[in-house]
Structure formats: C-alpha cells, structure tokens
Amino acid sequence: MAFGKISHGLGQTIGALGISAVAALTAVVPAFAQDAPAAPSAIATGAAQGAAMASGAGSYTPMKPVEGIGMPIDGAYGLQTQFSKTGEYGEWIHNIILMPIITAICVLVLILLAVIAVRFNRRRNPVASKTSHNTILEVVWTLVPVLILIGIAVPSIDLIAKQYKPAPEGALTIKVTGNQWFWTYGYPDNGDFEVISNMLNVPGAPTINNGVREVGSKPWDGPSHLEVDNRMVVPVGEPIRLQITAADVIHSFAVPSLWFKLDAVPGRINEKVLVVEKPGVYYGQCSELCGAKHGYMPIAVEALPRDKYNAWVLTHAGAEIDTGKKKPAAAAAVPAPAADASEAAPAADATAEAE
C-alpha cells in the first residue's frame, strides 16, 4: 500500500510538470512564429490561393456527361467522335485513306475470283493453260502493292510522330498509376495531392468496391461500368504531360474518344501528351488483361476550363494553383546576395581554395 501511495504521488508530480512544460511551449511558439519571416514560396502560394478563392474557386460540382459523347453507343460501328488533334488526324487517315484502299482491294479480289470461277472452270476450259511466266503481270502485282504500302506508311508514320511528340516545357504533369483494380492520379504541379478512382457499383449487381456508392445516385453520373467516384480532372485546351506507370502488373490507360492508349508497366514510366479540345467527360477502360477485376477499372477524364480546373484543385488539402510552368534557368541560377562582406569573404576564399 505504501509503495502504491508513493507511486501515485510521483505520477501526479510528473503530470503537473508535463502540463507546465506544455503551457510554456504554447506561449513561446506563437511568439517565435510571429518573429520568423514567412517563406517566399508560402507567400506566393497563399496569394495565388487567395486570388483563386476571391474569384469563387474552391467549389466544384462534377460535370454531367453528354449522351453519346466520349462513350460507346449501343449498335454503333466505327470510331468514336474524336476530341483531340491527333484523334482527328487518325480518324481522317482511317476514313479517307485506309477504308477506301481496303474497300478497293476487296472489290478487286472479289471480281478476280468471280471471273476465274466463271471463265476458267473445268467445264469452260477442259484443257488447262500451261502458262507459267508473264513478266508484265508479275511486275504489276509486285509494284502496285509496294506503292499502296508506301501511301499508307507516310501518313501513318506522321501520326506516330505526332502522338509521341514530347510535351512542351512548362506543360502540366499528371501521374497515372494502374493498380489491381483501380487508378490513382497524382498532381505534382498542384501540390502533389493524389486522387483514387474506383468504379461505381451497379444497382442489383454484386458489390465490386465496398464503401463506393452506386451509379445513378448522383445527377452527374454517366453509364454503368464506366463511371467512377473520382474522375481524372484536366484543364481543357492545354498540353498535359501524362506519366503512366503501374504498381503491380501491366495495365493500359486507354480513352478511345481522345485517341489515347499507353501501357502502364511496373517499374517504368511511359510518357505521352494529352490535349482535350472541348470541355466534357470522356470514358475509357483498362485495355490490358490485368486480373480477375480487369473489367472493373474504367477511366473517366473530365476536361474543364482553367478557372473551373483551379476551383477543383483547391478542393483538395494542400493543393496549390500552379500551371506547371518552371522558372527560367537564368533566373534560378542567380545567387542570393550575401548578408554582409564578412559573410561573402569566407565563401570567396573557399572558392579560391577549391580552384
């Protein structure tokens, strides 16, 4: 009993000392914080966020998709309507160059087969021809396919070059990571926050993602199996550097209406530029067989005007308004001025000794 009383007394004494120490630190820290100068980056960030908030930023309501735009349509055939420059170019190559050539070749082969079947069957020609060589015919059927392939190759190579043209300096960077079985989108140019994107559950079907609501429960929801709880939001009309990787197995980030498809490989970053021409919601899916729930990791890209994009950014903790533009190298290389001559002299001496 005596030991218990002694221990209880010591505990009360230590607790009182701890409370006194905390109270002293609480009084000292605010005073120190008031005396310490704020970091320039914090000032700039605060000013940018203040300006954005003054213009009504910081609030966000997801955009409602337009039926048939940026999504598959029942009974449709052909390519989805394109909303990027590379997509429009690729669609032109497909519709104006490839399809007419393919159609002409198929019709020609069908005509030749019909002529051969009618004119050179056993009944019409009981004695078969012994011809084994025809120089003109052989030259023609060799050169014509070569010319056709060249005609297809020139615009096709140009399209490949356009698709993999590097992003301009200062382009907004978004990091896309494929996981089993969802996507994460990181925004290093906007405070380095991350968005986790899961497919919404389908009413009446088995639950795919616990804790995620059902599709159709919000007025801005798109089609089932394509809508997600958190979309990848991008600014419209700007080049966006997408850096794509995976955390586990190979995935593939693909959005048909934006003419975008790039593999997500673990341990590797693949990069490609995305430019969305018009505001809207554009859907895609993982296009690489990645496991049991491969069909349950859709992609939803929401393109917003820059002011609305900034407002969406500010809804995330620690977010910053930053277009991703870097400071010029010349400005970054200018050294900070020394406080006085006594501080500058040792630095000059150290430089001389190093030389």
Side-chain angles (χ1 to χ4, degrees):
M1 294 293 291
F3 178 76
K5 291 181 178 179
I6 294 172
S7 300
H8 181 69
L10 286 174
Q12 289 182 335
T13 303
I14 293 172
L17 290 174
I19 293 171
S20 301
V22 171
L25 287 173
T26 305
V28 172
V29 171
F32 176 76
Q34 290 176 359
D35 295 336
S41 59
I43 295 173
T45 301
Q49 292 185 0
M53 292 297 290
S55 63
S59 60
Y60 162 73
T61 300
M63 180 183 295
K64 185 175 182 180
V66 178
E67 183 69 26
I69 300 296
M71 64 182 75
I73 304 173
D74 290 342
Y77 61 90
L79 301 175
Q80 292 186 22
T81 303
Q82 297 299 307
F83 293 91
S84 67
K85 289 293 184 185
T86 53
E88 292 171 356
Y89 186 39
E91 187 177 20
W92 177 82
I93 293 175
H94 177 270
N95 294 338
I96 305 303
I97 296 179
L98 295 182
M99 292 308 295
I101 291 176
I102 292 172
T103 302
I105 292 174
C106 291
V107 170
L108 176 61
V109 171
L110 180 61
I111 292 174
L112 292 176
L113 287 174
V115 170
I116 291 172
V118 172
R119 293 190 57 185
F120 298 101
N121 57 59
R122 179 180 296 179
R123 184 171 55 188
R124 297 285 297 272
N125 289 275
V127 179
S129 172
K130 302 294 185 180
T131 303
S132 61
H133 184 72
N134 187 307
T135 303
I136 296 177
L137 184 60
E138 291 175 2
V139 170
V140 170
W141 73 34
T142 300
L143 290 181
V144 170
V146 169
L147 294 175
I148 292 173
L149 292 176
I150 292 175
I152 293 174
V154 171
S156 299
I157 294 173
D158 185 39
L159 176 61
I160 293 174
K162 291 180 185 297
Q163 289 183 118
Y164 291 95
K165 184 178 179 180
E169 185 177 0
L172 179 70
T173 299
I174 299 177
K175 184 179 179 182
V176 178
T177 304
N179 307 268
Q180 288 182 313
W181 287 272
F182 59 93
W183 297 94
T184 57
Y185 307 120
Y187 291 78
D189 292 338
N190 292 119
D192 206 21
F193 64 88
E194 188 175 75
V195 174
I196 300 175
S197 182
N198 287 283
M199 189 192 87
L200 297 184
N201 294 306
V202 180
T207 299
I208 300 299
N209 297 308
N210 292 322
V212 178
R213 62 183 179 84
E214 292 185 343
V215 66
S217 58
K218 298 291 184 181
W220 55 77
D221 285 349
S224 64
H225 295 88
L226 290 177
E227 191 58 85
V228 298
D229 55 350
N230 297 301
R231 298 167 178 167
M232 184 180 86
V233 180
V234 302
V236 70
E238 298 181 19
I240 302 159
R241 180 188 295 107
L242 289 188
Q243 295 182 338
I244 300 176
T245 187
D248 32 53
V249 299
I250 297 178
H251 302 274
S252 187
F253 188 85
V255 184
S257 60
L258 300 178
W259 200 267
F260 195 98
K261 184 177 186 294
L262 195 63
D263 283 352
V265 183
R268 176 175 178 173
I269 294 180
N270 291 328
E271 185 175 300
K272 202 173 175 184
V273 179
L274 173 67
V275 181
V276 186
E277 290 188 303
K278 296 181 180 180
V281 184
Y282 308 96
Y283 295 98
Q285 290 176 302
C286 175
S287 298
E288 187 76 33
L289 187 60
C290 58
K293 294 184 181 178
H294 159 71
Y296 299 107
M297 51 183 304
I299 300 159
V301 179
E302 182 172 336
L304 298 174
R306 170 49 82 163
D307 58 339
K308 294 184 178 180
Y309 171 78
N310 290 344
W312 173 82
V313 166
L314 291 179
T315 61
H316 299 84
E320 300 176 359
I321 299 301
D322 184 1
T323 60
K325 295 182 179 180
K326 301 176 182 178
K327 297 180 179 179
V334 176
D340 51 41
S342 61
E343 292 181 4
D349 294 340
T351 304
E353 291 177 2
E355 294 177 352

